[in-house]
Amino acid sequence: MSGIHIKNDVIAYLEKTLLPEKQKKIEEHLSSCSSCQALVKRMSAVYFSGDKQEVPELTPYFYTRICAQLENEQQSTWEIPLPVLRSLRPVAAGLFVLTAITFTIFLSNYILSGNQFKMNTKVGSSEMSYEYYLENSGDLMLNTIVSNEN
Amino acid sequence: MTDADLLKSLAGKDENAFRFLVEKYQAMVFKACFHILNNYEDAEDVAQDTFVEAYLSIASFRGDAKISTWLYRIAINKSKNLLRKNRWQLLMQRFDKFLPGEKSVVFDAEDHSAHDDMHLYEKNEDQKVLWKAIESLPENQRIAFTLSKYDELSYQEIAEAMQTSLSAVESLIHRAKLNLQKKLVIYFSEK
């Protein structure tokens, strides 16, 4: 067995979860390979070091802190029960979609009517000036003749 | 007091029952959070949030699982949220380094290297190497592995707590061990 194979089975070997034949083969290899021996020794030290680590103790005020947090949460949260809020979700989603559609229609109308307004203004002003010229051209000419005669 | 009695009292918002629940399960919840998050302060905060949520959502608990399993479920979800938040902060911190100009105060204050030193303060060199490798595992592999190895939960209990199948848990733990082995072998061959 080569060192590469051992590297693939170190943890299983350390936990003794390999098949007995494979476990024995690794042991045989380790007895003759110092580099693999060193690797297994280091791996063992690191892998099992977590077992020795103690979990620190909780603060003695843990329950008091929970009560304080609960008090804060209950003061800050609404009185609407959760199932009611959940049932309102589709309504809220529908309202959102409806608002979005209305806004889009309003926006597109606004843009289109704005452009039309500009077009009307241009056409309107040119039409008005042309009509004004047609309607008042006779009077203008008459006024010019009268003033010239005077 | 049995689980059924305790649930009944909790549903009636009995303060003594809640105190009993906290005192009975606080060590278990904190231990699981500590192993998943590998940080004392974070574990304490998540354990606290777990009991607060348990109290607030007792009405939605159908009693189809053991109380311990239900508490593990809440703790796991809260730990996952915190891990994601920390990962996002770390990502933003890294991204911030590439940006020209003045650095953001928020990300500088949350210096990850200082954070690492702080939460590894009680560990020896071997434990530091091990926890660095565990921290680099994918989220679900990390949770399944720590619950199995350090909280001594059975695969069935882990499956119920993680709301997944037994075969998925077996696969997660197997892959976690292979990943750890790979990382540690690379670490030792580089040294």
Side-chain angles (χ1 to χ4, degrees):
Chain A
M1 179 167 273
S2 69
I4 297 163
H5 286 103
I6 285 185
K7 281 174 188 173
N8 294 335
D9 294 315
V10 185
I11 288 184
Y13 169 75
L14 291 172
E15 288 187 328
K16 296 186 173 80
T17 52
L18 286 172
L19 290 170
E21 305 91 67
K22 206 166 187 184
Q23 192 88 9
K24 204 176 171 187
K25 271 186 182 175
I26 290 178
E27 276 165 11
E28 280 169 8
H29 174 77
L30 286 175
S31 61
S32 59
C33 178
S34 58
S35 64
C36 284
Q37 245 179 47
L39 176 78
V40 169
K41 198 179 169 188
R42 287 294 294 127
M43 284 283 282
S44 172
V46 169
Y47 188 67
F48 294 117
S49 66
D51 302 352
K52 292 166 201 156
Q53 193 198 339
E54 284 180 18
V55 178
E57 282 198 13
L58 260 173
T59 167
Y61 307 109
F62 187 65
Y63 181 72
T64 317
R65 279 175 53 182
I66 291 172
C67 290
Q69 194 181 333
L70 264 174
E71 212 169 290
N72 285 340
E73 296 230 353
Q74 280 171 338
Q75 274 173 3
S76 61
T77 51
W78 289 353
E79 287 302 313
I80 303 171
L82 202 64
V84 178
L85 277 178
R86 278 188 186 147
S87 65
L88 285 174
R89 254 189 244 167
V91 180
L95 276 174
F96 178 76
V97 171
L98 205 67
T99 314
I101 292 168
T102 315
F103 181 72
T104 314
I105 292 168
F106 173 77
L107 196 70
S108 55
N109 271 349
Y110 177 76
I111 293 165
L112 285 174
S113 64
N115 287 340
Q116 208 168 347
F117 174 72
K118 279 177 197 166
M119 278 167 66
N120 281 343
T121 319
K122 276 182 188 171
V123 172
S125 60
S126 58
E127 276 173 358
M128 271 173 70
S129 60
Y130 181 63
E131 280 165 7
Y132 181 82
Y133 174 75
L134 283 176
E135 279 172 14
N136 300 299
S137 56
D139 293 342
L140 282 167
M141 282 175 74
L142 193 68
N143 285 343
T144 317
I145 293 163
V146 171
S147 62
N148 282 345
E149 279 178 358
N150 288 336
Chain B
M1 195 185 275
T2 62
D3 271 11
D5 294 335
L6 187 58
L7 278 174
K8 210 175 168 185
S9 307
L10 284 169
K13 300 283 174 194
D14 181 351
E15 202 183 307
N16 287 332
F18 183 61
R19 193 185 188 107
F20 180 79
L21 176 90
V22 174
E23 281 170 2
K24 188 176 176 186
Y25 293 106
Q26 62 181 15
M28 178 201 87
V29 171
F30 173 71
K31 196 176 155 197
C33 295
F34 182 72
H35 286 138
I36 295 170
L37 299 164
N38 193 25
N39 177 290
Y40 182 86
E41 284 79 15
D42 286 349
E44 205 173 54
D45 288 345
V46 170
Q48 190 176 319
D49 288 346
T50 301
F51 285 106
V52 168
E53 188 169 325
Y55 182 82
L56 296 175
S57 63
I58 189 74
S60 64
F61 179 54
R62 298 185 300 272
D64 52 355
K66 285 197 283 184
I67 291 182
S68 57
T69 310
W70 176 54
L71 290 172
Y72 270 128
R73 257 181 225 168
I74 302 173
I76 288 170
N77 286 334
K78 295 218 169 275
S79 301
K80 274 185 181 179
N81 289 343
L82 191 74
L83 285 175
R84 280 171 202 160
K85 192 179 149 196
N86 287 347
R87 205 180 307 138
W88 175 249
Q89 273 186 353
L90 186 67
L91 192 74
M92 292 305 290
Q93 196 180 335
R94 281 179 186 164
F95 177 70
D96 201 49
K97 282 179 187 168
F98 291 103
L99 291 177
E102 208 173 306
K103 299 293 174 203
S104 157
V105 180
V106 178
F107 299 131
D108 283 353
E110 290 275 325
D111 185 26
H112 198 72
S113 55
H115 183 73
D116 277 354
D117 289 344
M118 188 182 74
H119 78 257
L120 294 173
Y121 67 106
E122 277 181 346
K123 296 180 176 71
N124 63 34
E125 205 51 49
D126 288 343
Q127 287 168 340
K128 281 181 188 177
V129 173
L130 176 70
W131 284 102
K132 281 273 180 194
I134 292 173
E135 277 187 348
S136 66
L137 290 175
E139 197 177 86
N140 281 338
Q141 287 183 24
R142 174 177 173 173
I143 292 168
F145 177 77
T146 54
L147 286 177
S148 162
K149 190 154 170 65
Y150 303 117
D151 294 281
E152 290 159 4
L153 261 67
S154 68
Y155 284 13
Q156 184 60 44
E157 285 171 318
I158 297 170
E160 283 170 18
M162 291 182 77
Q163 291 173 291
T164 187
S165 65
L166 191 65
S167 56
V169 171
E170 283 171 353
S171 166
L172 279 172
I173 294 174
H174 179 68
R175 279 186 283 141
K177 283 179 184 174
L178 287 181
N179 277 335
L180 266 181
Q181 179 175 269
K182 204 172 157 188
K183 284 168 200 291
L184 292 175
V185 166
I186 290 169
Y187 174 78
F188 289 129
S189 53
E190 279 174 356
K191 260 192 122 183

